[in-house]
Amino acid sequence: MIGKAPRWIIVVVGIVAFIWIVPIIGIVVTSLRPPEGVSLGWWRFDHFDLTLSAWRRVWDKYPLADSMWATMKTAGIATALTMSDNAAAYW
């Protein structure tokens, strides 16, 4: 479709994006608050302290650095092989 999108499509996409983004914001804010702040609800701002202690605990407990490195190697190899395979197809 060439031209401008109908206004109703923009409105529907905006509503769907809002419905998707609110829970994601809630998860991130909940992960950054201390336990006593989480019990109040992530949307309450009267006692709003942020901390990275939960993220540090998870990073220390699980081998995330090793997992991230393995994921980057796998993605890099897959990308390089895909690019070299596709480049050879055009010759």
Side-chain angles (χ1 to χ4, degrees), residues 45-67:
F45 295 110
D46 51 347
H47 180 58
F48 193 70
D49 296 328
L50 297 178
T51 179
L52 291 174
S53 65
W55 289 24
R56 277 191 230 113
R57 243 186 351 256
V58 169
W59 190 265
D60 292 339
K61 186 173 183 176
Y62 300 103
L64 295 179
D66 296 336
S67 300

Side-chain angles (χ1 to χ4, degrees), residues 23-35 37-39 41-43 48-51 54-55:
I24 292 171
I25 292 171
I27 290 169
V28 171
V29 170
T30 300
S31 73
L32 291 173
R33 293 182 84 173
V38 172
S39 63
W42 68 267
W43 56 89
F48 193 70
D49 296 328
L50 297 178
T51 179
W55 289 24

Side-chain angles (χ1 to χ4, degrees), residues 59 62-75:
W59 190 265
Y62 300 103
L64 295 179
D66 296 336
S67 300
M68 288 177 64
W69 177 241
T71 301
M72 288 192 310
K73 287 192 298 188
T74 304

